[in-house]
Amino acid sequence: MTRITMQDIANALGISRVTVWKAFNNQPGVSLSLRENILKKAAEMGYAKPIESTPADHTDKTVSLIVSRPDSSTFWTNIIHRMAQELSCCYRINLLYTYVPSVYTDGFTLPEILTNGTVQGAVILNVYDEKLVSLINSLSLPKVFLDTVPQISARSLTGDLFLLEGQETMYQITSSVISRGFKRIGFIGDIHYARTNADRYEGFCRCMKDHGLTPDPSLCLTHSIPIFSYHQELSRFLSSLQKLPDAFVCVSDYVAHFLQLYFAEHRDLIPGGILITGYDGSSEYSNVQNLLTTANVKTGLLGKRLSTQIVYRMEHPDAPYELTYINPQIIYRDSKLF
């Protein structure tokens, strides 16, 4: 005869297994009528052990997703949705959105749910303010970071760090541009914003030098750029150049699509066209989709990987922290626009 479990009873009543456990152990949070229904259903189904000694295996856990900018792009939401799906379906863990501002302001404190026992772990992504990252880093929760700010070293983080590999990937992308005969090459991307951005710029510079070329600072826009000011900043920078480079290596497809918008309005500046590369492989920007040489980040698999890592970190809080690089596939395309 098949042994009846609490999950069977929960499924029959359309409730959670935790609720069944609470009813069997006289725990708060279950109404009298629901408790009676649960016990009645248990008797009907022949459940032989109506009391469990420990709730440990039956308690739903919650992981906080600490994220800035609720208007995140498809790149980020794809990661988040897959992570929520994996945690729920495979581990019965809830994912709770916890928003923090994009920029730290005096007096800001982290939400109470991060310190009052509501959540048992945290995944941090799309948070790129040094003070905010430092506040989050001080939490005693098990943590997994996807990227971080360049001002904070990996060894100082109190959690695991995942990075999209940038140095070698951007080295190869830049090398593909040089192999086509282009020598005056600019770089666009705020290298102070994210560790991955700084890595990509370093890969660009190293590739240029290895090919006997000197990166021209006047052709590179690398200073801090407010996240919602890219279009204005890029337009101002490009308009200030007396002579455009032959190609631009961009820190992301997001940046590349702004360049395409600018040159679509100023085609007279590039009678022979211009070559632009990206990174991320995003399908969100239709004006450059399937046109650029780029690094194809599999966001769904990345979300799944983050979910397995936070589960591991929660189960092994004392294990040494890990630094993991994700190597995206480079997709080579013509990349020459107009």
Side-chain angles (χ1 to χ4, degrees), residues 64-88:
S64 169
L65 173 71
I66 305 178
V67 61
S68 291
R69 293 165 46 203
D71 59 334
S72 291
S73 68
T74 301
F75 177 86
W76 296 106
T77 55
N78 285 346
I79 296 172
I80 294 167
H81 290 166
R82 181 61 180 273
M83 187 164 43
Q85 181 185 47
E86 289 293 320
L87 288 173
S88 176

CSV table of all heavy atoms in Angstrom, one decimal, residues 64-88:
chain,number,residue,atom,x,y,z
A,64,SER,N,15.7,36.8,-0.8
A,64,SER,CA,15.5,38.2,-1.3
A,64,SER,C,16.3,38.5,-2.6
A,64,SER,O,17.5,38.1,-2.7
A,64,SER,CB,16.0,39.2,-0.2
A,64,SER,OG,16.0,40.5,-0.7
A,65,LEU,N,15.6,39.0,-3.6
A,65,LEU,CA,16.3,39.5,-4.8
A,65,LEU,C,16.5,41.0,-4.6
A,65,LEU,O,15.5,41.8,-4.6
A,65,LEU,CB,15.5,39.2,-6.0
A,65,LEU,CG,16.1,39.9,-7.3
A,65,LEU,CD1,17.3,39.1,-7.7
A,65,LEU,CD2,15.1,39.9,-8.4
A,66,ILE,N,17.7,41.4,-4.3
A,66,ILE,CA,18.0,42.8,-4.0
A,66,ILE,C,18.4,43.5,-5.4
A,66,ILE,O,19.4,43.1,-6.0
A,66,ILE,CB,19.1,43.0,-3.0
A,66,ILE,CG1,18.8,42.3,-1.7
A,66,ILE,CG2,19.4,44.5,-2.7
A,66,ILE,CD1,19.9,42.4,-0.6
A,67,VAL,N,17.6,44.4,-5.8
A,67,VAL,CA,17.8,44.9,-7.2
A,67,VAL,C,17.4,46.4,-7.2
A,67,VAL,O,16.6,46.9,-6.4
A,67,VAL,CB,16.8,44.2,-8.2
A,67,VAL,CG1,15.4,44.3,-7.8
A,67,VAL,CG2,17.1,44.6,-9.6
A,68,SER,N,18.1,47.2,-8.0
A,68,SER,CA,17.8,48.6,-8.3
A,68,SER,C,17.0,48.7,-9.6
A,68,SER,O,17.0,47.8,-10.4
A,68,SER,CB,19.1,49.4,-8.4
A,68,SER,OG,19.7,49.5,-7.1
A,69,ARG,N,16.4,49.8,-9.8
A,69,ARG,CA,15.7,50.1,-11.0
A,69,ARG,C,14.7,49.1,-11.4
A,69,ARG,O,14.9,48.2,-12.1
A,69,ARG,CB,16.7,50.2,-12.2
A,69,ARG,CG,17.7,51.4,-12.1
A,69,ARG,CD,18.9,51.3,-13.0
A,69,ARG,NE,18.5,50.8,-14.3
A,69,ARG,CZ,19.3,50.3,-15.2
A,69,ARG,NH1,20.6,50.0,-14.8
A,69,ARG,NH2,18.9,49.9,-16.4
A,70,PRO,N,13.4,49.3,-10.8
A,70,PRO,CA,12.4,48.4,-11.1
A,70,PRO,C,12.0,48.3,-12.6
A,70,PRO,O,11.3,47.4,-13.0
A,70,PRO,CB,11.2,48.9,-10.3
A,70,PRO,CG,11.5,50.3,-10.0
A,70,PRO,CD,13.0,50.4,-9.9
A,71,ASP,N,12.4,49.3,-13.4
A,71,ASP,CA,12.2,49.3,-14.8
A,71,ASP,C,13.3,48.6,-15.6
A,71,ASP,O,13.6,48.9,-16.7
A,71,ASP,CB,12.0,50.7,-15.3
A,71,ASP,CG,13.3,51.5,-15.1
A,71,ASP,OD1,14.1,51.2,-14.1
A,71,ASP,OD2,13.6,52.5,-15.8
A,72,SER,N,13.8,47.5,-15.0
A,72,SER,CA,14.9,46.8,-15.6
A,72,SER,C,14.6,46.3,-17.0
A,72,SER,O,13.5,46.0,-17.3
A,72,SER,CB,15.4,45.7,-14.7
A,72,SER,OG,15.9,46.1,-13.5
A,73,SER,N,15.7,46.2,-17.8
A,73,SER,CA,15.6,45.8,-19.2
A,73,SER,C,15.2,44.3,-19.2
A,73,SER,O,15.3,43.5,-18.2
A,73,SER,CB,16.8,46.0,-19.9
A,73,SER,OG,17.9,45.2,-19.4
A,74,THR,N,14.9,43.8,-20.4
A,74,THR,CA,14.7,42.4,-20.7
A,74,THR,C,15.8,41.5,-20.2
A,74,THR,O,15.6,40.4,-19.8
A,74,THR,CB,14.3,42.2,-22.1
A,74,THR,OG1,13.2,43.0,-22.5
A,74,THR,CG2,14.0,40.7,-22.4
A,75,PHE,N,17.0,42.0,-20.4
A,75,PHE,CA,18.2,41.3,-20.0
A,75,PHE,C,18.1,40.9,-18.6
A,75,PHE,O,18.4,39.7,-18.2
A,75,PHE,CB,19.5,42.1,-20.2
A,75,PHE,CG,20.8,41.5,-19.8
A,75,PHE,CD1,21.4,40.6,-20.7
A,75,PHE,CD2,21.3,41.7,-18.5
A,75,PHE,CE1,22.6,40.0,-20.3
A,75,PHE,CE2,22.5,41.1,-18.1
A,75,PHE,CZ,23.1,40.2,-19.0
A,76,TRP,N,17.8,41.8,-17.7
A,76,TRP,CA,17.7,41.5,-16.3
A,76,TRP,C,16.5,40.7,-15.9
A,76,TRP,O,16.5,39.8,-15.1
A,76,TRP,CB,17.7,42.8,-15.5
A,76,TRP,CG,19.0,43.6,-15.6
A,76,TRP,CD1,19.2,44.7,-16.3
A,76,TRP,CD2,20.3,43.2,-15.1
A,76,TRP,NE1,20.5,45.1,-16.3
A,76,TRP,CE2,21.2,44.2,-15.5
A,76,TRP,CE3,20.7,42.2,-14.3
A,76,TRP,CZ2,22.5,44.2,-15.1
A,76,TRP,CZ3,22.1,42.1,-13.9
A,76,TRP,CH2,23.0,43.1,-14.3
A,77,THR,N,15.3,41.1,-16.5
A,77,THR,CA,14.1,40.4,-16.2
A,77,THR,C,14.1,38.9,-16.6
A,77,THR,O,13.5,38.0,-15.9
A,77,THR,CB,12.9,41.0,-16.8
A,77,THR,OG1,13.0,41.2,-18.2
A,77,THR,CG2,12.7,42.4,-16.2
A,78,ASN,N,14.8,38.6,-17.7
A,78,ASN,CA,14.9,37.2,-18.1
A,78,ASN,C,15.7,36.4,-17.0
A,78,ASN,O,15.4,35.2,-16.7
A,78,ASN,CB,15.7,37.1,-19.4
A,78,ASN,CG,14.8,37.5,-20.6
A,78,ASN,OD1,13.6,37.6,-20.4
A,78,ASN,ND2,15.4,37.7,-21.7
A,79,ILE,N,16.7,37.0,-16.5
A,79,ILE,CA,17.5,36.3,-15.4
A,79,ILE,C,16.6,36.1,-14.2
A,79,ILE,O,16.6,35.0,-13.6
A,79,ILE,CB,18.8,37.2,-15.0
A,79,ILE,CG1,19.7,37.3,-16.2
A,79,ILE,CG2,19.5,36.6,-13.8
A,79,ILE,CD1,20.9,38.3,-16.0
A,80,ILE,N,15.9,37.1,-13.8
A,80,ILE,CA,15.1,37.1,-12.6
A,80,ILE,C,14.0,36.1,-12.7
A,80,ILE,O,13.7,35.3,-11.8
A,80,ILE,CB,14.5,38.5,-12.3
A,80,ILE,CG1,15.6,39.5,-12.0
A,80,ILE,CG2,13.5,38.4,-11.2
A,80,ILE,CD1,15.2,40.9,-12.0
A,81,HIS,N,13.3,36.0,-13.9
A,81,HIS,CA,12.2,35.1,-14.0
A,81,HIS,C,12.6,33.7,-14.0
A,81,HIS,O,12.0,32.8,-13.4
A,81,HIS,CB,11.5,35.4,-15.4
A,81,HIS,CG,10.7,36.7,-15.4
A,81,HIS,ND1,10.2,37.3,-16.5
A,81,HIS,CD2,10.3,37.5,-14.4
A,81,HIS,CE1,9.6,38.4,-16.3
A,81,HIS,NE2,9.7,38.6,-15.0
A,82,ARG,N,13.8,33.4,-14.6
A,82,ARG,CA,14.3,32.0,-14.6
A,82,ARG,C,14.7,31.6,-13.1
A,82,ARG,O,14.5,30.5,-12.7
A,82,ARG,CB,15.4,31.8,-15.5
A,82,ARG,CG,16.0,30.4,-15.6
A,82,ARG,CD,14.9,29.4,-16.0
A,82,ARG,NE,15.4,28.0,-16.1
A,82,ARG,CZ,16.1,27.5,-17.1
A,82,ARG,NH1,16.2,28.2,-18.2
A,82,ARG,NH2,16.5,26.3,-17.1
A,83,MET,N,15.3,32.6,-12.4
A,83,MET,CA,15.7,32.3,-11.1
A,83,MET,C,14.5,32.0,-10.2
A,83,MET,O,14.5,31.1,-9.4
A,83,MET,CB,16.5,33.5,-10.5
A,83,MET,CG,17.1,33.3,-9.2
A,83,MET,SD,18.4,34.5,-8.8
A,83,MET,CE,17.6,36.0,-9.4
A,84,ALA,N,13.5,32.8,-10.3
A,84,ALA,CA,12.2,32.6,-9.5
A,84,ALA,C,11.6,31.2,-9.8
A,84,ALA,O,11.2,30.5,-8.9
A,84,ALA,CB,11.2,33.7,-9.8
A,85,GLN,N,11.6,30.9,-11.1
A,85,GLN,CA,11.0,29.6,-11.5
A,85,GLN,C,11.8,28.4,-10.9
A,85,GLN,O,11.2,27.5,-10.4
A,85,GLN,CB,11.0,29.5,-13.0
A,85,GLN,CG,10.5,28.2,-13.6
A,85,GLN,CD,10.6,28.2,-15.1
A,85,GLN,OE1,11.7,28.4,-15.7
A,85,GLN,NE2,9.5,27.8,-15.8
A,86,GLU,N,13.1,28.5,-11.0
A,86,GLU,CA,14.0,27.4,-10.5
A,86,GLU,C,13.8,27.3,-9.0
A,86,GLU,O,13.7,26.2,-8.4
A,86,GLU,CB,15.4,27.7,-10.8
A,86,GLU,CG,15.8,27.5,-12.3
A,86,GLU,CD,15.6,26.1,-12.8
A,86,GLU,OE1,16.0,25.1,-12.0
A,86,GLU,OE2,15.1,25.8,-13.9
A,87,LEU,N,13.9,28.4,-8.3
A,87,LEU,CA,13.8,28.3,-6.8
A,87,LEU,C,12.5,27.8,-6.4
A,87,LEU,O,12.4,27.0,-5.4
A,87,LEU,CB,14.0,29.7,-6.2
A,87,LEU,CG,15.4,30.3,-6.3
A,87,LEU,CD1,15.5,31.7,-5.8
A,87,LEU,CD2,16.4,29.4,-5.4
A,88,SER,N,11.4,28.2,-7.0
A,88,SER,CA,10.1,27.7,-6.7
A,88,SER,C,9.8,26.2,-7.0
A,88,SER,O,9.4,25.5,-6.1
A,88,SER,CB,9.0,28.6,-7.4
A,88,SER,OG,7.7,28.1,-7.1
